[in-house]
């Protein structure tokens, strides 16, 4: 039984969360692979075999990133190369009928921040996936030059959330998502 965490990250915050989620899932007994979204297409066989698929992305301009918002992030010093975003990857993904999924995003705590996670959730739902938990948000803060930062407390929360998702899935009978 394997789980896959697919993520998009611009400044490293979402990468840190994805890694922590995977650590939590592994500690709960679920073998977990972490893939940046650019590598997910090349590993579509692994994604297709996963018992649990966890998808995460940063919130850009109140929602899921676009080619334009990723270009703006790179102009502010983002580490990411131009390329595929989670939305693009999900558009290319075949149906996920009955697949257990979980979603997270990173976002500012501003009430006007929006949510990448809600859009991911809708895209997964359209493909027949079954959400095993509510979308989880992890807070980031603005840093120097517009670079987002994340606290150790949020990374710790991601580890705990990952363990809880894995425990839920590991406890479910095979063939049932939750």
């Amino acid at each position: 039984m394997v789980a896959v965490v697919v993520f998009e990250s611009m400044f490293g915050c979402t990468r840190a969360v994805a890694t922590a989620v995977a650590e939590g899932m592994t500690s709960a007994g679920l073998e977990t692979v972490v893939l940046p979204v650019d590598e997910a297409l090349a590993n579509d066989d692994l994604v297709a075999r996963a018992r649990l698929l966890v998808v995460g992305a940063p919130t850009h301009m109140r929602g899921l990133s676009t080619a334009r918002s990723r270009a703006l992030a790179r102009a502010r010093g983002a580490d990411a190369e131009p390329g595929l975003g989670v939305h693009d990857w999900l558009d290319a993904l075949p149906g996920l009928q009955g697949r257990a999924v979980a979603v997270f995003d990173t976002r500012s705590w501003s009430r006007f921040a929006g949510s990448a996670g809600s859009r991911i959730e809708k895209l997964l739902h359209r493909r027949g996936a079954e959400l095993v938990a509510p979308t989880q948000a992890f807070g980031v803060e603005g840093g120097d030059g517009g670079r987002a930062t994340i606290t150790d407390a949020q990374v710790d929360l991601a580890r705990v959330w990952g363990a809880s998702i894995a425990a839920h899935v590991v406890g479910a009978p095979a063939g049932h998502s939750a």
Side-chain angles (χ1 to χ4, degrees):
M1 169 179 359
V2 66
V4 176
V5 178
V6 176
F7 72 94
E8 175 183 341
S9 187
M10 296 286 119
F11 297 104
C13 298
T14 311
R15 176 182 297 276
V17 169
T19 300
V21 167
E23 289 168 359
M25 292 167 65
T26 300
S27 74
L30 189 56
E31 180 186 349
T32 306
V33 176
V34 181
L35 294 172
V37 70
D38 285 335
E39 295 177 22
L41 276 179
N43 289 283
D44 59 353
D45 58 324
L46 179 62
V47 172
R49 288 192 325 265
R51 176 147 181 215
L52 171 65
L53 177 62
V54 179
V55 182
T59 300
H60 283 202
M61 299 178 167
R62 301 182 54 155
L64 199 51
S65 77
T66 63
R68 182 174 182 266
S69 71
R70 290 190 298 273
L72 290 170
R74 282 190 302 280
R76 289 192 333 232
D79 303 326
E81 292 297 317
L84 195 65
V86 163
H87 193 285
D88 307 312
W89 173 68
L90 287 172
D91 281 347
L93 205 57
L96 296 169
Q97 197 63 39
R99 174 75 56 88
V101 297
V103 176
F104 71 90
D105 66 16
T106 53
R107 62 176 101 155
S108 157
W109 289 128
S110 162
R111 66 183 179 149
F112 302 111
S115 168
S118 62
R119 182 71 180 140
I120 296 168
E121 189 176 312
K122 286 176 187 170
L123 292 167
L124 289 168
H125 179 72
R126 281 189 200 151
R127 284 161 181 77
E130 294 181 22
L131 219 61
V132 298
T135 294
Q136 178 66 50
F138 297 95
V140 299
E141 299 170 3
D144 294 335
R147 290 184 65 91
T149 60
I150 191 161
T151 65
D152 290 342
Q154 289 296 294
V155 173
D156 291 343
L157 176 62
R159 207 170 281 111
V160 170
W161 183 74
S164 71
I165 296 294
H168 185 70
V169 172
V170 168
H176 293 89
S177 58

